[in-house]
Amino acid sequence: MGYNQDNRNPQQTGSAQAPEPIDLFAAALSFIGLNLMWVFFAGWMLFGMVPVLMFALFLNHLIDRLEDHQQHPDT
């Protein structure tokens, strides 16, 4: 098995295209979703289903308001 210098990855030069930034949005959404799952489960075990559903509705309302504000910033 011979070692060939031509098989190595070439070094990037300044004239090469800059690497794209990593998109962490999907990872952040997954992380938030997993955290909300255990928070809802722990809340359900401690307080029951009704307060957890009320908290979920409150979060949904806040998300809707944020979306509305981003679409119509002048209002």
Side-chain angles (χ1 to χ4, degrees), residues 2 4-5 7 18 24 30 38 49 57-58 67 71-73:
N4 187 355
Q5 288 279 44
N7 287 338
L24 297 176
S30 300
W38 77 260
M49 186 183 279
L57 288 173
F58 176 70
E67 179 186 15
Q71 289 179 354
H72 308 287

Side-chain angles (χ1 to χ4, degrees), residues 17-74:
Q17 189 178 25
E20 274 190 42
I22 298 173
D23 182 23
L24 297 176
F25 185 69
L29 285 179
S30 300
F31 186 71
I32 289 170
L34 286 173
N35 281 328
L36 275 177
M37 281 177 30
W38 77 260
V39 167
F40 283 155
F41 184 73
W44 188 4
M45 293 296 110
L46 291 172
F47 306 113
M49 186 183 279
V50 174
V52 171
L53 289 176
M54 289 175 60
F55 180 62
L57 288 173
F58 176 70
L59 281 178
N60 187 31
H61 176 71
L62 288 179
I63 291 169
D64 287 344
R65 286 189 61 174
L66 179 64
E67 179 186 15
D68 210 24
H69 179 71
Q70 286 181 342
Q71 289 179 354
H72 308 287
D74 56 343

